[in-house]
Amino acid sequence: MNRYVKFKNIVLIGMSGAGKTTVGKYIASKLNMEFVNTDDIIVFNFGDTIEHIFSEYGEEYFRDLEKQVIEGLKEKENIVISTGGGVVIDEVNIDILKKNGIFVYLEASIDTLVRNVKSSKENRPLLDKDNLYSSIKEIYNKRKGLYISSADYIVQVDNKSVELIGDEVIYILNN
Ligand code: S3P
């Protein structure tokens, strides 16, 4: 790793289904770094599923929990962070994660996102299962600008394996 990257966190951002978690785990194991997933920390801390937090307490409440988790990561270094797709909505999250992190946006077409979300076991309460394409597209259109403006690097993921994407991220950060 070059000096710029060493000890920095690698922060993966992007929509649900872009592969942040699978790619993040791959990168972490290759670089011998710790891996964290902000949704998993929420589930662990709160003792409830993401789906149930949304249905019982609403999105705003979930965003508060998400923000607390981000806040709790601010002293961390040298870890790979897979963020929830909506983390970029709040610029406080971006500011905190940017202090010690390099943002890599995993950019995917709507078709790729739909395919991956369909084949995933995760439940995404913001997405309408019966209208997956249009609900993903609607959210993507709202967030696209935020992903791009907060990204230090953008990696296209369409038609690539997890290994290829992960190696591309590592290559970019090394060079
Ligand atoms: C969300 C994405 C989810 C999870 C929550 C909200 C979003 O994470 O944080 O359901 O707002 O896009 P993934 O990006 O891992 O699916």
Side-chain angles (χ1 to χ4, degrees):
M1 284 271 132
N2 67 30
R3 279 180 52 222
Y4 168 62
V5 171
K6 210 167 178 205
F7 302 126
K8 284 254 184 181
N9 299 324
I10 300 172
V11 181
L12 298 175
I13 59 166
M15 292 282 291
S16 289
K20 300 174 300 266
T21 298
T22 42
V23 171
K25 282 182 180 164
Y26 174 82
I27 295 171
S29 79
K30 265 212 129 171
L31 298 181
N32 210 10
M33 292 165 81
E34 185 191 337
F35 170 82
V36 300
N37 172 311
T38 55
D39 280 349
D40 287 348
I41 302 174
I42 294 170
V43 170
F44 182 81
N45 288 354
F46 200 69
D48 203 348
T49 63
I50 301 292
E51 193 186 11
H52 194 247
I53 295 169
F54 266 83
S55 64
E56 194 64 24
Y57 307 99
E59 179 173 357
E60 211 175 307
Y61 190 80
F62 171 81
R63 297 296 169 206
D64 281 346
L65 297 177
E66 186 171 50
K67 203 169 178 167
Q68 283 169 33
V69 167
I70 302 296
E71 178 77 31
L73 292 173
K74 83 174 170 205
E75 306 298 335
K76 289 274 190 183
E77 45 180 41
N78 206 30
I79 63 171
V80 179
I81 304 173
S82 168
T83 59
V87 82
V88 293
I89 295 171
D90 191 328
E91 63 182 41
V92 175
N93 291 338
I94 300 178
D95 290 347
I96 293 173
L97 290 168
K98 278 265 171 186
K99 288 212 174 81
N100 204 27
I102 299 166
F103 277 41
V104 179
Y105 169 34
L106 300 184
E107 189 176 58
S109 66
I110 311 287
D111 284 331
T112 298
L113 297 172
V114 170
R115 199 168 44 242
N116 290 345
V117 166
K118 263 189 187 157
S119 65
S120 148
K121 291 192 297 288
E122 298 292 323
N123 226 311
R124 268 82 177 208
L126 284 182
L127 301 179
D128 174 0
K129 283 192 196 85
D130 299 326
N131 295 292
L132 210 43
Y133 190 94
S134 54
S135 68
I136 288 180
K137 190 172 176 193
E138 195 187 325
I139 294 177
Y140 175 72
N141 285 339
K142 281 195 203 138
R143 292 185 187 159
K144 190 180 174 192
L146 290 170
Y147 289 135
I148 292 174
S149 63
S150 52
D152 295 297
Y153 300 102
I154 299 175
V155 172
Q156 285 287 339
V157 303
D158 293 335
N159 305 313
K160 291 179 188 164
S161 66
V162 170
E163 292 77 13
L164 193 61
I165 302 162
D167 289 341
E168 204 172 312
V169 173
I170 293 170
Y171 179 83
I172 288 170
L173 297 179
N174 266 326
N175 289 279

